[in-house]
Amino acid sequence: MDTIENREKLKTAQINNALGVFIFFFGLVVIFAMLFTETFVQQMTDLAAGLVLCLIGGGMMLKSRKTIKSLKLK
Amino acid sequence: MLSGIDYFVVIAYIVGILLLGYYFKRYVNSSEDYFLGGRSLPFWAIGMSIVVSDIGAMDFVGVSGQAYRYGISVGNFDWIGSVPAMLLAAFIFIPYFWKGGMYTIPEYLGRRYNPTVRTIASLTWIIFFAVDLGVLFWASAVLLNVLMGWPVWASILITATVVGIYTYFGGITAVVMTDVVQLVIMFVGGLTLVFLALHAVGGYNELVDKITTMGPEYRQHFDLIQPSTTKTPFPWTGILFGLTFVMANAYMIGNQAIVQRCLTAKNEWHAKASMIFGSALKMLIPILVLFPGLMAIIIHPGLEDGDQSLPMMIKSTLPPGLIGLMFSAFFAGLMSSVDSLLNSTATLFTKDIYEPYIKKGANDKHYLKVGKITTLVLLLVGVATSPISSRYPGIYVAIQTFLSYFQGPMFAILLLGIFWKRTTQWGGLSGLVIGIAFAVYLNTFKSQFFTIEDPFLYVSWWSFLLGFVVTVLVSVFTSPYSESRLSGLVYSSKKKEQVT
């Protein structure tokens, strides 16, 4: 029972990690788009939106990697 | 139309989704993995996926356009037209489907009534989904052509390739998880658009003042409830009876593409929670898609086609980079609609048609293979039939309207099947067939019965009502199943289980 439960937790954590990586890198692409803006407001908008995506993606990555590590240690 | 960096963002999104979807191949080892994600998905991912599947690229643009033309009453579809139905689904219906280990809604109907009801319901959905796929491909590609300047065939082939690869390999896990990414991107892009546009018009109070003083045709733009005599397609009578009582429930409870997601949940709690979480997210959707339409009235007044309001707002309000992000959301909306249709149709065909009628008792790998091949065949059929849509300009609306016709009677027999144990197999069968036939009749002669041009809300209400009455009447005169036969399929058996 525990093994099945752990396997499921591991699967969820791996999926979250993959999603996190995607959202994080997509956020970086949006931040990179700052270089192509013309006004300060546009720059800040890209920066804010990109940072939000990086925070969501980064948070998912960190949390899931922590879970994966703890499950593999068991 | 888009700048270089925006194209880069869109292409990065497409490539990323392709890789992400392909990554989920590793979690598909059985037909249960393919169709139900191994029953291991968390509520938040399913809830997000339900919301995203509900909003295709066409709806995205359409809702803003309706808000531009008619005001906030279009928000009823996401508020009263979704939230109560999702809560009802969460607390009453989903637990039956999840605990029964079902793959499809017709499977429940088959157990509750008889195999004929299951087959009719399943074939109706399969035909609808298969036709809808080609229509959706074409309509969305035309939209992307207008918005982004992409050639129609390039849009169709790119979408088919990307969606085909991740749906074929990753099954419903890939479908649900790519939806999660789409929702995050849609919310970030959408909220940024609303914030910047609201700032540009001078705030909410200013928005209301400016619109309501623009002329008599704008005075009701902030009335959520429209009178029954309104010229808009959203009279309160239609909203209450057609949308809230019938269509919303039928969609959230009887639509395979929606319910199948809840069946992927890791346990009953997650299955229920997914719908509740989805309903909370659903309440925010009008803010993202309705408000840009309203603000476009001030920023871009006098647009000939209201559906241009959202693309115009994106181009005039968002900076480079975020324009690409919002157009990625459009593209993702298209991909999400296509992947849902593919996976749900493959599930319906494999579980309701192939397994009982073509090859019974084969091993699981065989059914997994059938599911994958069906996905591929459907995709090819969708691409091949998509140009047919161009010859029939009204086909997109016609297909969407058709959905409202059979959903009413199907919801009637689902409702009676669960809540009234006296409902018989013949009652269910007659209610379904006569209800659908009546809806077709009403639609064919709609000008004789209704004063508004597009009476789909009324048609769904009356076909539901007739389906309901016929089911009750026929059930009264035919013999029901025994209590033991209905165990776990009707509400009264659940209550008895709780007592014992």
Side-chain angles (χ1 to χ4, degrees), chain B residues 206-427:
Chain B
E206 196 75 5
L207 174 79
V208 178
D209 286 347
K210 281 178 181 167
I211 291 177
T212 47
T213 52
M214 280 176 90
E217 70 267 37
Y218 293 100
R219 272 192 203 126
Q220 290 184 325
H221 260 55
F222 287 90
D223 293 347
L224 193 59
I225 298 166
Q226 299 284 335
S228 59
T229 51
T230 180
K231 292 285 172 205
T232 73
F234 317 118
W236 74 266
T237 40
I239 291 289
L240 185 67
F241 294 109
L243 178 67
T244 313
F245 288 168
V246 182
M247 270 182 72
N249 291 310
Y251 188 80
M252 293 299 172
I253 295 160
N255 188 324
Q256 175 66 22
I258 297 291
V259 173
Q260 193 180 339
R261 281 160 166 70
C262 297
L263 305 180
T264 65
K266 57 173 90 173
N267 56 40
E268 193 187 332
W269 186 89
H270 277 263
K272 285 181 186 173
S274 65
M275 268 286 183
I276 297 167
F277 181 58
S279 70
L281 291 173
K282 205 68 167 84
M283 286 192 269
L284 300 174
I285 294 297
I287 296 170
L288 303 182
V289 290
L290 188 154
F291 273 80
L294 286 176
M295 290 182 273
I297 298 172
I298 295 167
I299 297 174
H300 301 287
L303 287 177
E304 269 184 34
D305 181 6
D307 287 354
Q308 278 293 314
S309 60
L310 185 64
M312 294 289 278
M313 285 297 289
I314 291 172
K315 283 179 186 170
S316 63
T317 313
L318 291 178
L322 280 189
I323 295 179
L325 184 125
M326 276 306 282
F327 281 106
S328 300
F330 277 135
F331 199 72
L334 166 59
M335 290 200 287
S336 161
S337 308
V338 173
D339 65 27
S340 302
L341 290 184
L342 284 177
N343 193 266
S344 295
T345 317
T347 312
L348 286 163
F349 176 76
T350 311
K351 290 291 166 186
D352 294 330
I353 307 294
Y354 188 85
E355 202 174 317
Y357 294 111
I358 300 172
K359 194 162 185 177
K360 224 177 212 173
N363 65 35
D364 189 66
K365 291 279 173 208
H366 178 78
Y367 295 125
L368 172 63
K369 205 170 160 187
V370 170
K372 285 185 165 187
I373 292 170
T374 310
T375 304
L376 209 60
V377 170
L378 276 167
L379 194 70
L380 294 174
V381 169
V383 172
T385 56
S386 61
I388 297 171
S389 310
S390 63
R391 286 182 232 153
Y392 306 97
I395 195 168
Y396 180 80
V397 176
I399 290 292
Q400 302 310 315
T401 309
F402 177 66
L403 176 71
S404 64
Y405 298 162
F406 67 84
Q407 277 196 322
M410 216 174 276
F411 176 57
I413 65 168
L414 261 175
L415 196 67
L416 283 166
I418 281 185
F419 285 110
W420 195 41
K421 66 180 178 182
R422 184 69 183 74
T423 315
T424 68
Q425 54 171 324
W426 305 116

Side-chain angles (χ1 to χ4, degrees), chain A residues 11-68:
Chain A
K11 179 186 166 183
T12 309
Q14 285 171 336
I15 288 174
N16 289 352
N17 183 44
L19 294 179
V21 169
F22 179 90
I23 296 170
F24 181 80
F25 279 102
F26 201 65
L28 288 183
V29 172
V30 175
I31 293 174
F32 171 71
M34 276 174 72
L35 300 176
F36 300 87
T37 51
E38 288 163 5
T39 64
F40 178 72
V41 173
Q42 287 185 337
Q43 276 180 357
M44 287 304 107
T45 309
D46 273 0
L47 181 66
L51 279 178
V52 169
L53 287 172
C54 284
L55 276 174
I56 295 170
M60 287 175 84
M61 273 161 66
L62 283 177
K63 192 172 181 304
S64 54
R65 283 181 186 194
K66 211 172 146 188
T67 312
I68 292 169

Side-chain angles (χ1 to χ4, degrees), chain B residues 432-479:
Chain B
L432 183 64
V433 174
I434 294 172
I436 293 174
F438 185 60
V440 174
Y441 171 76
L442 282 181
N443 181 52
T444 312
F445 302 100
K446 61 183 175 188
S447 56
Q448 292 176 24
F449 297 106
F450 308 104
T451 49
I452 56 174
E453 197 185 324
D454 195 5
F456 67 101
L457 290 173
Y458 290 124
V459 172
S460 63
W461 163 250
W462 289 115
S463 61
F464 162 78
L465 204 63
L466 187 75
F468 191 95
V469 170
V470 168
T471 308
V472 170
L473 285 178
V474 175
S475 295
V476 168
F477 294 104
T478 47
S479 54

Side-chain angles (χ1 to χ4, degrees), chain B residues 23-45:
Chain B
Y23 170 82
F24 294 116
K25 182 189 171 195
R26 60 165 68 188
Y27 301 115
V28 178
N29 297 309
S30 65
S31 67
E32 193 185 57
D33 292 337
Y34 195 70
F35 298 126
L36 297 180
R39 288 173 166 264
S40 63
L41 301 187
F43 77 92
W44 54 268

Side-chain angles (χ1 to χ4, degrees), chain B residues 109-124:
Chain B
L109 294 174
R111 285 194 209 173
R112 176 62 183 84
Y113 296 107
N114 60 36
T116 313
V117 176
R118 177 182 184 176
T119 309
I120 292 173
S122 190
L123 281 176
T124 311

